Amino acid sequence: MSRVPKRIYCFRMMNQAGGLVDVSEVMVAISDVLSIGESEITLFEDVVRIQRFKDSPAGRLYHLARYSPGTQSSTLTPKANGKLDTEGSLGAPVGKEFKTGESYMLINEHNVLFCGHGLTYQKCAGYIFRLIKGQKHDVVPMTFHPSSNIDKVAILNAQGAKSIRLNVNAYKLSVPKATTGWLDGVLASVGDEVKALICKDPNRSQEKSLEDMTIALEIALEGNSRATVESKDTITDLANEVLSDDDSPVDSFTIMTRDGTPITSDDVKLHSTISVEKSGTSLDHVQIWDAMVKYFEQLKKQKLLEQ
């Protein structure tokens, strides 16, 4: 048995208008009456379900699991003789499926602590919506919005930004989207240029060309000390907009401050890092749940849930 580092992130559940959404009570009611099998929801090729749950003083804790029906694992022959090894594949035992991911949540009103292990928070938000709707309760589409790590935001505003590097999947840029700010406008222009380049070859599939391509865009001061005050203020404002734009297609970013401090997309999300025992592909859910309850109490004591 080994140990792996995992992060617990702090999210707020919000509707499309930006209002807070509280599903804590309805999730308790639903999980109380449904069996594990009855909690299964098909999301594209995956099936997600509530594997187990537990109540705590901080709120109900959930362990979600996902599987893809019919998944097979590739096999090979260890220490094979010769130059050729015939590879094969094996499915799960009869009556079983391979678990392909899991996640852990603590839900308290609109606050959600989340730890993912092959199951993203976006898919979990979709699962919760489908589960509640399927049980005939009133519910609106919701998303998990990350709470900001105010320490990192304070560092940015104190030191100022020197450069901003954005990484975004090229296919996302090809999808039409209303532009609501400078970032959307810049990314849309870049996406148009890339599509125009690919379209020059009529035999090249635009979708196939874009799906595995990442575009990096960097905005930086020309020099550090000699840059104008206006330029310094502008790039710091742009950096703050990157931090606050939850709906942008950017997959990751790195902001370098003028003092040389890197701030990444993961850094600015309020989180705690823990070490968890791992057996096979599964994590110890008890350790994660205990860490979530402890972290929630820390956030509550520091009034970070009230930001």
Side-chain angles (χ1 to χ4, degrees), residues 32 49 74 99 105 116 119-120 148 151 228 258:
D32 276 343
R49 69 187 194 175
S74 298
K99 183 170 65 175
M105 295 184 298
L119 181 56
T120 66
S148 297
D151 290 338
T228 66
R258 293 203 293 273

mmCIF file with all atom_site columns, all heavy atoms in Angstrom, residues 32 49 74 99 105 116 119-120 148 151 228 258:
data_model
loop_
_atom_site.group_PDB
_atom_site.id
_atom_site.type_symbol
_atom_site.label_atom_id
_atom_site.label_alt_id
_atom_site.label_comp_id
_atom_site.label_asym_id
_atom_site.label_entity_id
_atom_site.label_seq_id
_atom_site.pdbx_PDB_ins_code
_atom_site.Cartn_x
_atom_site.Cartn_y
_atom_site.Cartn_z
_atom_site.occupancy
_atom_site.B_iso_or_equiv
_atom_site.pdbx_formal_charge
_atom_site.auth_seq_id
_atom_site.auth_comp_id
_atom_site.auth_asym_id
_atom_site.auth_atom_id
_atom_site.pdbx_PDB_model_num
ATOM 1  N N   . ASP A 1 32  ? -30.723 9.103  1.353   1.00 0.00 ? 32  ASP A N   1
ATOM 2  C CA  . ASP A 1 32  ? -31.298 8.276  2.419   1.00 0.00 ? 32  ASP A CA  1
ATOM 3  C C   . ASP A 1 32  ? -32.206 7.173  1.866   1.00 0.00 ? 32  ASP A C   1
ATOM 4  O O   . ASP A 1 32  ? -32.269 6.073  2.431   1.00 0.00 ? 32  ASP A O   1
ATOM 5  C CB  . ASP A 1 32  ? -32.103 9.134  3.401   1.00 0.00 ? 32  ASP A CB  1
ATOM 6  C CG  . ASP A 1 32  ? -31.231 9.778  4.469   1.00 0.00 ? 32  ASP A CG  1
ATOM 7  O OD1 . ASP A 1 32  ? -30.087 9.325  4.662   1.00 0.00 ? 32  ASP A OD1 1
ATOM 8  O OD2 . ASP A 1 32  ? -31.698 10.750 5.117   1.00 0.00 ? 32  ASP A OD2 1
ATOM 9  N N   . ARG A 1 49  ? -22.349 7.041  -9.583  1.00 0.00 ? 49  ARG A N   1
ATOM 10 C CA  . ARG A 1 49  ? -23.269 6.673  -8.509  1.00 0.00 ? 49  ARG A CA  1
ATOM 11 C C   . ARG A 1 49  ? -22.704 7.080  -7.150  1.00 0.00 ? 49  ARG A C   1
ATOM 12 O O   . ARG A 1 49  ? -21.511 7.375  -7.019  1.00 0.00 ? 49  ARG A O   1
ATOM 13 C CB  . ARG A 1 49  ? -23.532 5.173  -8.519  1.00 0.00 ? 49  ARG A CB  1
ATOM 14 C CG  . ARG A 1 49  ? -22.323 4.319  -8.123  1.00 0.00 ? 49  ARG A CG  1
ATOM 15 C CD  . ARG A 1 49  ? -22.630 2.864  -8.334  1.00 0.00 ? 49  ARG A CD  1
ATOM 16 N NE  . ARG A 1 49  ? -21.675 1.964  -7.696  1.00 0.00 ? 49  ARG A NE  1
ATOM 17 C CZ  . ARG A 1 49  ? -21.805 0.648  -7.676  1.00 0.00 ? 49  ARG A CZ  1
ATOM 18 N NH1 . ARG A 1 49  ? -22.843 0.073  -8.261  1.00 0.00 ? 49  ARG A NH1 1
ATOM 19 N NH2 . ARG A 1 49  ? -20.913 -0.111 -7.069  1.00 0.00 ? 49  ARG A NH2 1
ATOM 20 N N   . SER A 1 74  ? -5.867  -3.798 -21.237 1.00 0.00 ? 74  SER A N   1
ATOM 21 C CA  . SER A 1 74  ? -4.924  -4.468 -22.135 1.00 0.00 ? 74  SER A CA  1
ATOM 22 C C   . SER A 1 74  ? -3.956  -5.325 -21.341 1.00 0.00 ? 74  SER A C   1
ATOM 23 O O   . SER A 1 74  ? -3.582  -5.009 -20.213 1.00 0.00 ? 74  SER A O   1
ATOM 24 C CB  . SER A 1 74  ? -4.150  -3.430 -22.952 1.00 0.00 ? 74  SER A CB  1
ATOM 25 O OG  . SER A 1 74  ? -5.023  -2.683 -23.772 1.00 0.00 ? 74  SER A OG  1
ATOM 26 N N   . LYS A 1 99  ? -13.853 -0.064 -11.931 1.00 0.00 ? 99  LYS A N   1
ATOM 27 C CA  . LYS A 1 99  ? -14.052 1.318  -11.481 1.00 0.00 ? 99  LYS A CA  1
ATOM 28 C C   . LYS A 1 99  ? -13.050 2.198  -12.216 1.00 0.00 ? 99  LYS A C   1
ATOM 29 O O   . LYS A 1 99  ? -11.856 1.938  -12.212 1.00 0.00 ? 99  LYS A O   1
ATOM 30 C CB  . LYS A 1 99  ? -13.846 1.427  -9.967  1.00 0.00 ? 99  LYS A CB  1
ATOM 31 C CG  . LYS A 1 99  ? -14.105 2.817  -9.418  1.00 0.00 ? 99  LYS A CG  1
ATOM 32 C CD  . LYS A 1 99  ? -14.139 2.837  -7.898  1.00 0.00 ? 99  LYS A CD  1
ATOM 33 C CE  . LYS A 1 99  ? -12.804 2.476  -7.292  1.00 0.00 ? 99  LYS A CE  1
ATOM 34 N NZ  . LYS A 1 99  ? -12.801 2.610  -5.818  1.00 0.00 ? 99  LYS A NZ  1
ATOM 35 N N   . MET A 1 105 ? -16.843 14.305 -1.603  1.00 0.00 ? 105 MET A N   1
ATOM 36 C CA  . MET A 1 105 ? -17.408 15.632 -1.378  1.00 0.00 ? 105 MET A CA  1
ATOM 37 C C   . MET A 1 105 ? -17.924 15.763 0.044   1.00 0.00 ? 105 MET A C   1
ATOM 38 O O   . MET A 1 105 ? -18.396 14.801 0.642   1.00 0.00 ? 105 MET A O   1
ATOM 39 C CB  . MET A 1 105 ? -18.567 15.898 -2.343  1.00 0.00 ? 105 MET A CB  1
ATOM 40 C CG  . MET A 1 105 ? -18.192 15.960 -3.808  1.00 0.00 ? 105 MET A CG  1
ATOM 41 S SD  . MET A 1 105 ? -19.619 16.401 -4.835  1.00 0.00 ? 105 MET A SD  1
ATOM 42 C CE  . MET A 1 105 ? -20.707 15.017 -4.508  1.00 0.00 ? 105 MET A CE  1
ATOM 43 N N   . GLY A 1 116 ? -10.937 15.011 -6.126  1.00 0.00 ? 116 GLY A N   1
ATOM 44 C CA  . GLY A 1 116 ? -11.174 14.149 -7.271  1.00 0.00 ? 116 GLY A CA  1
ATOM 45 C C   . GLY A 1 116 ? -10.057 13.138 -7.484  1.00 0.00 ? 116 GLY A C   1
ATOM 46 O O   . GLY A 1 116 ? -8.891  13.403 -7.203  1.00 0.00 ? 116 GLY A O   1
ATOM 47 N N   . LEU A 1 119 ? -12.445 11.467 -11.392 1.00 0.00 ? 119 LEU A N   1
ATOM 48 C CA  . LEU A 1 119 ? -13.823 11.926 -11.588 1.00 0.00 ? 119 LEU A CA  1
ATOM 49 C C   . LEU A 1 119 ? -13.842 13.424 -11.300 1.00 0.00 ? 119 LEU A C   1
ATOM 50 O O   . LEU A 1 119 ? -13.619 13.836 -10.168 1.00 0.00 ? 119 LEU A O   1
ATOM 51 C CB  . LEU A 1 119 ? -14.780 11.172 -10.669 1.00 0.00 ? 119 LEU A CB  1
ATOM 52 C CG  . LEU A 1 119 ? -16.274 11.518 -10.753 1.00 0.00 ? 119 LEU A CG  1
ATOM 53 C CD1 . LEU A 1 119 ? -16.792 11.361 -12.173 1.00 0.00 ? 119 LEU A CD1 1
ATOM 54 C CD2 . LEU A 1 119 ? -17.079 10.624 -9.800  1.00 0.00 ? 119 LEU A CD2 1
ATOM 55 N N   . THR A 1 120 ? -14.077 14.235 -12.329 1.00 0.00 ? 120 THR A N   1
ATOM 56 C CA  . THR A 1 120 ? -13.924 15.682 -12.215 1.00 0.00 ? 120 THR A CA  1
ATOM 57 C C   . THR A 1 120 ? -15.089 16.335 -11.486 1.00 0.00 ? 120 THR A C   1
ATOM 58 O O   . THR A 1 120 ? -16.197 15.788 -11.409 1.00 0.00 ? 120 THR A O   1
ATOM 59 C CB  . THR A 1 120 ? -13.817 16.321 -13.603 1.00 0.00 ? 120 THR A CB  1
ATOM 60 O OG1 . THR A 1 120 ? -15.070 16.155 -14.303 1.00 0.00 ? 120 THR A OG1 1
ATOM 61 C CG2 . THR A 1 120 ? -12.692 15.683 -14.420 1.00 0.00 ? 120 THR A CG2 1
ATOM 62 N N   . SER A 1 148 ? -11.528 31.617 -4.118  1.00 0.00 ? 148 SER A N   1
ATOM 63 C CA  . SER A 1 148 ? -10.182 32.109 -4.375  1.00 0.00 ? 148 SER A CA  1
ATOM 64 C C   . SER A 1 148 ? -9.306  31.990 -3.140  1.00 0.00 ? 148 SER A C   1
ATOM 65 O O   . SER A 1 148 ? -9.750  32.197 -2.007  1.00 0.00 ? 148 SER A O   1
ATOM 66 C CB  . SER A 1 148 ? -10.222 33.575 -4.817  1.00 0.00 ? 148 SER A CB  1
ATOM 67 O OG  . SER A 1 148 ? -10.914 33.704 -6.029  1.00 0.00 ? 148 SER A OG  1
ATOM 68 N N   . ASP A 1 151 ? -4.713  34.685 -0.286  1.00 0.00 ? 151 ASP A N   1
ATOM 69 C CA  . ASP A 1 151 ? -3.287  34.955 -0.085  1.00 0.00 ? 151 ASP A CA  1
ATOM 70 C C   . ASP A 1 151 ? -2.583  35.158 -1.422  1.00 0.00 ? 151 ASP A C   1
ATOM 71 O O   . ASP A 1 151 ? -1.762  36.060 -1.579  1.00 0.00 ? 151 ASP A O   1
ATOM 72 C CB  . ASP A 1 151 ? -2.623  33.804 0.678   1.00 0.00 ? 151 ASP A CB  1
ATOM 73 C CG  . ASP A 1 151 ? -3.079  33.734 2.133   1.00 0.00 ? 151 ASP A CG  1
ATOM 74 O OD1 . ASP A 1 151 ? -3.546  34.774 2.642   1.00 0.00 ? 151 ASP A OD1 1
ATOM 75 O OD2 . ASP A 1 151 ? -2.981  32.663 2.734   1.00 0.00 ? 151 ASP A OD2 1
ATOM 76 N N   . THR A 1 228 ? 6.555   51.217 -18.266 1.00 0.00 ? 228 THR A N   1
ATOM 77 C CA  . THR A 1 228 ? 5.793   52.367 -17.776 1.00 0.00 ? 228 THR A CA  1
ATOM 78 C C   . THR A 1 228 ? 4.804   51.945 -16.703 1.00 0.00 ? 228 THR A C   1
ATOM 79 O O   . THR A 1 228 ? 4.405   50.786 -16.614 1.00 0.00 ? 228 THR A O   1
ATOM 80 C CB  . THR A 1 228 ? 5.026   53.037 -18.929 1.00 0.00 ? 228 THR A CB  1
ATOM 81 O OG1 . THR A 1 228 ? 4.024   52.129 -19.410 1.00 0.00 ? 228 THR A OG1 1
ATOM 82 C CG2 . THR A 1 228 ? 5.962   53.424 -20.057 1.00 0.00 ? 228 THR A CG2 1
ATOM 83 N N   . ARG A 1 258 ? 6.188   40.585 -10.585 1.00 0.00 ? 258 ARG A N   1
ATOM 84 C CA  . ARG A 1 258 ? 7.408   41.353 -10.871 1.00 0.00 ? 258 ARG A CA  1
ATOM 85 C C   . ARG A 1 258 ? 8.536   41.010 -9.900  1.00 0.00 ? 258 ARG A C   1
ATOM 86 O O   . ARG A 1 258 ? 9.694   41.314 -10.162 1.00 0.00 ? 258 ARG A O   1
ATOM 87 C CB  . ARG A 1 258 ? 7.094   42.860 -10.834 1.00 0.00 ? 258 ARG A CB  1
ATOM 88 C CG  . ARG A 1 258 ? 6.168   43.305 -11.968 1.00 0.00 ? 258 ARG A CG  1
ATOM 89 C CD  . ARG A 1 258 ? 6.311   44.784 -12.259 1.00 0.00 ? 258 ARG A CD  1
ATOM 90 N NE  . ARG A 1 258 ? 5.833   45.622 -11.176 1.00 0.00 ? 258 ARG A NE  1
ATOM 91 C CZ  . ARG A 1 258 ? 4.570   46.010 -11.038 1.00 0.00 ? 258 ARG A CZ  1
ATOM 92 N NH1 . ARG A 1 258 ? 3.643   45.593 -11.900 1.00 0.00 ? 258 ARG A NH1 1
ATOM 93 N NH2 . ARG A 1 258 ? 4.209   46.794 -10.041 1.00 0.00 ? 258 ARG A NH2 1
#
